[in-house]
């Protein structure tokens, strides 16, 4: 995660040096062209910032939950062993990995990387559950609390990926009780990409390695305290020892 932040800061500084020292003073580039270059660079920077921290945090929480729940880890690895027959896991393999997806959904229900989504604005005054939301007020949606709401979830604090095997809830925000990527027109535009690369990384970690904690640590004791930084992260980073599978 720190590497991601350093890379983002580096790119950020690079972009601004490029814009202010080279692009703006350059008389050979016309104004419209300058603007389109600046816009493209800012878009790229936004995608990088919005996509890296969230994805790494989703993978870290999923691994932590699987380590704490060895039965689920075994089941996910057994599914991979029976479904993957080649040396590299490919995007085309993903639809067959039902249990792996259920594990990922369950950890994103409990630990959504964007717990309050992004700040929204009420474009009109409206009433929500009897409360008046005045026009232009800032609205924060608590996806974290929604994912743990006992009115929507049985045993909401337990890690039970199986609950997603029997439901057709997806990541697209059509089920308001499960919105790790937000919902509606401002939902995460990176969702189609993230729901491919995150399971792909997770599947590769589980299929090619056995994971253990440093000697003397019981997986049940993994500290699951979270902290809100740019995304919802583990307060204590997950330290694991990988062993290549034979
Ligand atoms: C597990 C991975 C990810 C999670 C959990 C996640 C979650 C979110 C959430 C909750 C929002 C705010 C939605 C709202 O307020 O309703 C958001 C916005 C955004 N995400 Fe993601 N995201 C992830 C990956 C990505 C990736 C890979 C990209 C790009 C390549 C990306 C690009 C963006 C952008 C640009 C926005 C701002 C959209 C706007 O301002 O309307 N995200 N994301």
């Amino acid at each position: 995660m720190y590497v991601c932040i350093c890379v983002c800061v580096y790119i950020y500084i690079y972009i601004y040096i490029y814009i202010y020292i080279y692009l703006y003073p350059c008389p050979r580039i016309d104004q419209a062209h300058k603007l389109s270059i600046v816009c493209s660079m800012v878009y790229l920077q936004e995608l990088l910032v919005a996509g890296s921290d969230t994805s790494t945090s989703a993978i870290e929480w999923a691994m932590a939950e699987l380590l704490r729940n060895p039965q689920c880890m075994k089941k996910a690895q057994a599914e991979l062993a029976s479904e993957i027959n080649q040396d590299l896991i490919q995007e085309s393999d993903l639809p067959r990995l039902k249990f792996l997806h259920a594990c990922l959904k369950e950890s994103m229900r409990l630990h959504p990387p964007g717990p309050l989504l992004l700040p929204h604005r009420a474009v009109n005054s409206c009433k929500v559950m009897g409360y008046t939301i005045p026009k232009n007020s800032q609205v924060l949606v608590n996806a974290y609390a929604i994912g743990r709401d006992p009115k929507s979830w049985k045993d909401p604090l337990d890690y039970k990926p199986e609950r997603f095997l029997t439901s057709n809830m997806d990541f697209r925000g059509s089920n308001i009780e499960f919105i790790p990527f937000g919902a509606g027109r401002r939902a995460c535009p990176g969702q189609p990409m993230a729901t491919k690369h995150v399971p792909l990384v997770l599947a590769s970690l589980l299929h090619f390695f056995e994971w253990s904690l440093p000697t003397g640590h019981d997986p049940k004791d993994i500290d699951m305290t979270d902290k809100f930084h740019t995304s919802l992260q583990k307060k204590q980073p997950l330290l694991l020892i990988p062993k290549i599978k034979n």
Side-chain angles (χ1 to χ4, degrees), residues 43 46-59 108 111-120 141 143 179-191 193-195 197-198:
Y43 283 140
E46 192 175 317
L47 289 180
L48 200 77
V49 172
S52 36
D53 225 16
T54 44
S55 304
T56 50
S57 127
I59 294 165
M108 287 178 77
H111 317 283
L116 300 178
L117 309 184
L118 285 179
H120 289 239
V141 177
I179 48 167
F181 290 92
R185 281 183 290 175
R186 287 303 294 274
C188 173
Q191 180 259 318
M193 178 181 164
T195 46
H197 75 235
V198 171

Side-chain angles (χ1 to χ4, degrees), residues 67-87:
L67 258 288
R68 273 165 47 93
N69 295 277
Q71 294 304 333
C72 296
M73 172 74 98
K74 270 199 197 124
K75 216 168 153 183
Q77 287 181 320
E79 179 184 68
L80 284 157
S82 74
E83 296 294 343
I84 308 295
N85 306 312
Q86 69 281 358
D87 287 345

